[in-house]
Amino acid sequence: MPKKFIISTMLLFAFANSTFAQFGFSHEIGAIVGPVAFQSDYGQRYDFATNAGNTGYGIGIIHYLNFSYRAECNCYTPETYFNDHFKLRSELSYNKTELQHFGKWVDKSRTSLFADQLRAMRGSTAVTNVGMQLEFFPLSIRDFSSTIGAWAPFISMGGQFSFYDPEVYSTLGPLNTPISTPIKYYDATTNQGGTVWSIVGSIGTRYKLTELSDLMIDLRWQYYFSNWVDGLNPDPAVYIENRANDWNVWLNFGYIYYLQ
């Protein structure tokens, strides 16, 4: 991940936070970590072994704007439905997944050259994300904030901008040769990184641990507007089983601290 990308992102967060702080909103910061299941052109569709095997990890730092509370006066903001049920989440996160083919086409019983080539293919992708989500809490944020041991379920939707860095190779030798590469992947691989937009949606809940801290768990779905994030992109007009863009599912576990 380029250093300029990290520095620019941190400066953007700092500018946004200082700008919103002038309006009197309070802030929360936290960290997230959890497993990531990457859905790509590796493996068989709708296959449990593929979903379980192509799993990596993700980490991130998160920031919230809490519209219901004003830190500088230690008081609540004017009571409106928006203030009591929404928070704005900013995020800088990173995930990495090792990838390979799973499913019936690489079963040990298959002894064709095609099966051997698929079994020999390896890859990975590392993705750095920056973006925002608007979180909706059906229950009162104020009531949750004042009750230790309370739960606050939420749903969210937002967008992210990502820098991805894929790697594709074969243990049989260089790619794009009759020995190493299945015909569907000829000239359909890349080790070049790029950028992509994505949409993000999640469902989860918070648990009020102390007056100034929460635990969080959420299940996120992220859809990339590109089919190159994993480094593979067979011709979708010919190989319709690979026509979908890349996406992932991330189970987050987080800790959030309220800034005063």
Side-chain angles (χ1 to χ4, degrees), residues 19-226:
T19 300
F20 281 114
Q22 298 178 20
F23 294 94
F25 305 137
S26 62
H27 301 266
E28 306 164 14
I29 58 172
I32 53 175
V33 63
V36 177
F38 203 93
Q39 307 296 308
S40 70
D41 295 316
Y42 284 90
Q44 181 183 342
R45 296 182 68 186
Y46 313 119
D47 178 67
F48 176 80
T50 298
N51 297 335
N54 288 330
T55 301
Y57 68 91
I59 56 175
I61 55 175
I62 52 178
H63 169 270
Y64 287 90
L65 284 176
N66 187 338
F67 304 107
S68 68
Y69 186 77
R70 299 183 64 170
E72 76 275 8
C73 67
N74 194 27
C75 61
Y76 286 112
T77 59
E79 186 172 357
T80 67
Y81 187 85
F82 182 85
N83 289 352
D84 199 30
H85 292 274
F86 288 91
K87 292 185 179 184
L88 183 64
R89 168 175 166 174
S90 305
E91 176 183 311
L92 175 62
S93 62
Y94 171 87
N95 62 76
K96 183 171 183 179
T97 309
E98 301 293 330
L99 302 165
Q100 66 183 86
H101 293 286
F102 294 91
K104 65 180 182 180
W105 305 110
V106 294
D107 188 86
K108 293 181 180 179
S109 62
R110 295 182 179 267
T111 58
S112 65
L113 175 61
F114 178 76
D116 290 339
Q117 292 170 332
L118 286 178
R119 283 190 285 262
M121 288 189 71
R122 298 289 187 275
S124 69
T125 187
V127 186
T128 302
N129 310 283
V130 58
M132 290 186 175
Q133 297 170 246
L134 188 64
E135 292 192 354
F136 169 66
F137 294 80
L139 306 180
S140 170
I141 292 175
R142 297 187 185 199
D143 292 346
F144 170 76
S145 299
S146 61
T147 309
I148 295 177
W151 295 88
F154 64 85
I155 59 174
S156 70
M157 182 66 69
Q160 295 194 348
F161 183 75
S162 304
F163 176 89
Y164 62 91
D165 184 19
E167 180 184 12
V168 186
Y169 66 96
S170 172
T171 59
L172 296 177
L175 292 173
N176 297 321
T177 70
I179 297 298
S180 66
T181 310
I183 187 63
K184 68 183 294 185
Y185 295 114
Y186 262 69
D187 298 319
T189 66
T190 184
N191 289 330
Q192 297 296 316
T195 57
V196 62
W197 289 96
S198 64
I199 56 173
V200 180
S202 66
I203 181 171
T205 187
R206 289 195 188 194
Y207 172 78
K208 175 58 66 176
L209 185 63
T210 69
E211 181 181 359
L212 295 177
S213 64
D214 298 344
L215 299 179
M216 180 191 74
I217 180 172
D218 77 334
L219 182 65
R220 171 197 295 180
W221 171 78
Q222 182 171 10
Y223 177 84
Y224 300 100
F225 291 103
S226 172

